[in-house]
Amino acid sequence: MSEETAELQAEFLAYIRKIEAVSEALELVFWDLRTKAPAKGMQQRSEVVSVLSSEIFDMKTSTEMAAFIAELAPVKEQLDEVTRKTLEVSQKEYEWNKKIPAKEYAAYTKLVAQGETAWAEAREAKDFGILEPYLTEIIAMKRRFVAYWGYEADKYDTLLDQYEPGMTVALLDDVFAKLRKGITALREKIAASDSEPNRDILKVSISKEKQKAFSISILEKMGFDFEAGRLDDTIHPFAIGMNPGDVRITTRYDEANFKMAVFGIIHEGGHAIYEQNFAPRLVGTNLASGASMGIHESQSLFYEIIVGSSLAFWKSNYPALQQVADSHLDNVSLEDFYRAVNLTESSLIRIEADILTYPLHIMIRYELEKALINEELEVKDLPQVWADKYEAYLGIRPENDTEGVLQDIHWSGGDFGYFPSYALGLMYAAQMYHQLQKEIPNVEKVIASDDYSPIKNWLTEHVHQYGKLKEPLEILQDTTGESLNPNYLLDLLEKRYQFVYQLD
């Protein structure tokens, strides 16, 4: 590398560190806004969010960034691995943002803000008609943006790439078809079973303090570093990372429903452990971030579903839960508890769905938004088509728009291409677990122990440390030796529900 290139590389990385510093400040404001900020400070805090967000956008699309890209892109093979990938990510963001005319982007930003307000009003009134004009214009603008950005095989590929780099409609259509077929067959077996788990045994009251103490003990076993993170209360749980040394998780407690906080904390803890273990060399770059929404979700679901909902996990942790339940679970066997935790049934609400039916909720949304972007479906027809798909996929039909097409905020905020990441995360997690079982043959004994560090270390070696340095499908290929394969999730579901429903 020439002295001139080395100097330019150092200047570029210093510029990126400034962007990341402002981004970290913005994340801290978001955390405070959602957890501790007093009501009277909300309006001004929102102004701060707007200013910082604009500053980050301006820096990512500035003439300085354009100059760095123009001068470093031709010599990127001379750059070290981290700088080269940092440049590629920066260039991709720059080109995406610059292809949208500034006036249209400003109009779009205003429109989605109005759309989210209209969505809240529509939910309250159970009337999709309130949201319809806003969503119609949002879809129209998204279609125009796709035209600006360009696409190859399918318009929806362009939106998928924003959340799941490298993912395509062709691949998703294939794996979703296989997944739906397998889930449907398993659901038919379960429907024919006369061995129904007893859901009533989970109706146990546990105080917030005892739920928190129990959950913290689980987080510590998982490997969550409390010197690099914290746990707080909020209305809508989330995980947020300032840097690997400061990753925060939140939860909401319900004393009549311990599952919400306990499994929610395990889920958010999976997100947080991922971010706590990015390689130090990535800190201060745009690579100290999840590889994709799907990979990030795979880590939370690995801990929540693969580990935390398994029989092996509860062999170790059920006695402690019985203790905090103040004898209410003393006469409930481990097996009956495990079966109740994994009960499956059709439901209208995505966030309340069990792990067997959840992918079907995602497929419905995927098919609808793909059709919207490709001009095969119009917004006015969404409630009817939504209801028809729920009846076809899950055998139930919403009685109103709020429990139907209005249940998610994503579309009113313009987030098209996001939903598939949830199902992809589950498939990634199952495929990784299949490989983990090969490399740690006694992994169920590890899960049944009080030390999950072999699992965390394996995930850090293969996934966590890379952050955004690798693409999601590259991580999957390098870790498991093959591309996305839904059969591992189907195998896991088959094994679990065979026990839960005593299937032949």
Side-chain angles (χ1 to χ4, degrees), residues 204-206 210 318-332:
V204 175
S205 180
I206 302 177
K210 289 184 176 180
Y318 188 49
L321 183 67
Q322 287 177 307
Q323 186 173 357
V324 300
D326 294 330
S327 78
H328 294 300
L329 292 172
D330 286 358
N331 295 323
V332 177

Side-chain angles (χ1 to χ4, degrees), residues 168-181:
T168 65
V169 164
L171 180 54
L172 267 185
D173 283 349
D174 179 56
V175 296
F176 276 173
K178 293 174 181 175
L179 190 58
R180 182 187 173 193
K181 182 179 179 181

Side-chain angles (χ1 to χ4, degrees), residues 308-322:
S309 299
S310 70
L311 184 59
F313 175 88
W314 288 108
K315 282 180 179 177
S316 165
N317 293 295
Y318 188 49
L321 183 67
Q322 287 177 307

Side-chain angles (χ1 to χ4, degrees), residues 129-374:
I130 296 172
L131 176 62
E132 183 182 332
Y134 297 94
L135 189 55
T136 299
E137 183 57 28
I138 289 170
I139 295 293
M141 295 192 78
K142 278 290 184 181
R143 290 169 177 169
R144 288 203 298 274
F145 289 179
V146 169
Y148 293 139
W149 289 322
Y151 64 94
E152 293 181 7
D154 193 288
K155 294 177 182 178
Y156 189 74
D157 285 344
T158 299
L159 300 180
L160 268 178
D161 190 67
Q162 295 181 0
Y163 300 100
E164 208 63 30
M167 187 55 59
T168 65
V169 164
L171 180 54
L172 267 185
D173 283 349
D174 179 56
V175 296
F176 276 173
K178 293 174 181 175
L179 190 58
R180 182 187 173 193
K181 182 179 179 181
I183 289 174
T184 300
L186 181 53
R187 277 166 51 81
E188 289 173 355
K189 290 182 185 178
I190 290 171
S193 170
D194 57 4
S195 182
E196 181 81 8
N198 180 5
R199 72 183 70 213
D200 291 338
I201 64 178
L202 300 181
K203 295 178 180 178
V204 175
S205 180
I206 302 177
S207 71
K208 169 187 170 181
E209 290 73 20
K210 289 184 176 180
Q211 288 186 44
K212 185 173 184 178
F214 175 78
S215 299
I216 286 174
S217 72
I218 299 299
L219 282 175
E220 290 172 341
K221 292 178 186 179
M222 289 166 56
F224 179 80
D225 183 356
F226 276 95
E227 292 186 358
R230 54 183 292 153
L231 170 64
D232 293 281
D233 298 1
T234 190
I235 297 174
H236 302 291
F238 64 94
I240 193 166
M242 269 55 81
N243 60 68
D246 187 355
V247 185
R248 308 179 185 196
I249 61 177
T250 66
T251 196
R252 181 164 67 93
Y253 298 94
D254 181 345
E255 295 193 349
N257 178 16
F258 70 88
K259 283 182 63 180
M260 182 172 67
V262 170
F263 284 97
I265 288 171
I266 295 173
H267 181 96
E268 301 303 340
H271 282 303
I273 290 170
Y274 183 15
E275 298 210 6
Q276 285 183 339
N277 289 281
F278 295 147
R281 62 187 176 137
L282 305 183
V283 176
T285 75
N286 51 22
L287 307 183
S289 177
S292 70
M293 295 304 301
I295 292 293
H296 225 309
E297 200 65 21
S298 77
Q299 300 310 288
S300 59
L301 291 172
F302 193 101
Y303 279 104
E304 180 195 2
I305 303 302
I306 308 294
V307 175
S309 299
S310 70
L311 184 59
F313 175 88
W314 288 108
K315 282 180 179 177
S316 165
N317 293 295
Y318 188 49
L321 183 67
Q322 287 177 307
Q323 186 173 357
V324 300
D326 294 330
S327 78
H328 294 300
L329 292 172
D330 286 358
N331 295 323
V332 177
S333 70
L334 168 64
E335 289 75 15
D336 286 345
F337 173 83
Y338 167 73
R339 293 179 66 211
V341 164
N342 286 282
L343 183 144
T344 180
E345 60 185 349
S346 294
S347 64
L348 290 167
I349 309 302
R350 174 183 63 87
I351 61 173
E352 297 175 0
D354 56 76
I355 203 60
L356 179 60
T357 60
Y358 189 82
L360 300 177
H361 290 259
I362 298 305
M363 291 177 206
I364 290 170
R365 288 156 175 78
Y366 163 68
E367 291 173 9
L368 291 175
E369 61 182 31
K370 181 176 60 168
L372 285 167
I373 296 303
N374 282 295

Side-chain angles (χ1 to χ4, degrees), residues 462-480:
H462 294 283
V463 182
H464 301 166
Q465 66 163 317
Y466 295 107
K468 225 178 184 70
L469 192 60
K470 290 185 177 183
E471 299 282 292
L473 291 177
E474 182 183 2
I475 289 174
L476 195 67
Q477 182 72 43
D478 290 349
T479 301
T480 69

Side-chain angles (χ1 to χ4, degrees), residues 5 27 46 56 74 106 149 180 196 260 308 346 481 487 494 500:
T5 300
E27 296 293 347
S46 296
I56 293 168
W149 289 322
R180 182 187 173 193
E196 181 81 8
M260 182 172 67
S346 294
N487 289 329
E494 183 81 30
V500 170

